[in-house]
Amino acid sequence: QVQLVESGGGLVQPGGSLRLSCAASGTIFSNSAMGWYRQAPGKQRESVALITRGGMTNYADSVKGRFTISRDNAKNTMYLQMNSLKPEDTAVYYCNAVGELRGNWGQGTQVTVSS
């Protein structure tokens, strides 16, 4: 049973933009904050941004001012607008619930920032 499906990744030049989407289950969206995570080559998976059910957000220092997380509970969908992309943003991006309700990881979506 698929609960998390990430999409929207791709190849982009430095300074470019991408918008990632995360389709999740209604159960997850109804009961948990949601977050975007990424795993770059040679690094552990890290939290990028999170958003509570009420819409409060938080970001990793590395993406503050460049990324915007949002969610549409009616559509059970979360988004990550990524602007001013840098090569160091290259990673596989995943979405999931934050904290105790975090489930299995989906396949993620590859973001590659390169000239």
Side-chain angles (χ1 to χ4, degrees), residues 2 31 39 72 110:
V2 178
N31 293 283
Q39 187 166 23
D72 186 337
Q110 176 71 51

Side-chain angles (χ1 to χ4, degrees), residues 36-94:
W36 282 99
Y37 305 78
R38 68 185 181 188
Q39 187 166 23
K43 296 184 177 181
Q44 290 189 307
R45 183 181 286 110
E46 65 175 344
S47 176
V48 175
L50 66 86
I51 183 167
T52 68
R53 292 180 296 166
M56 185 172 65
T57 61
N58 200 10
Y59 299 89
D61 288 341
S62 59
V63 306
K64 284 182 179 178
R66 301 187 297 119
F67 291 10
T68 302
I69 188 172
S70 61
R71 65 191 291 169
D72 186 337
N73 290 341
K75 296 181 179 179
N76 297 330
T77 303
M78 181 175 63
Y79 306 94
L80 185 68
Q81 178 66 47
M82 306 185 295
N83 299 324
S84 302
L85 283 162
K86 304 175 180 180
E88 51 262 47
D89 294 318
T90 295
V92 178
Y93 284 71
Y94 304 87

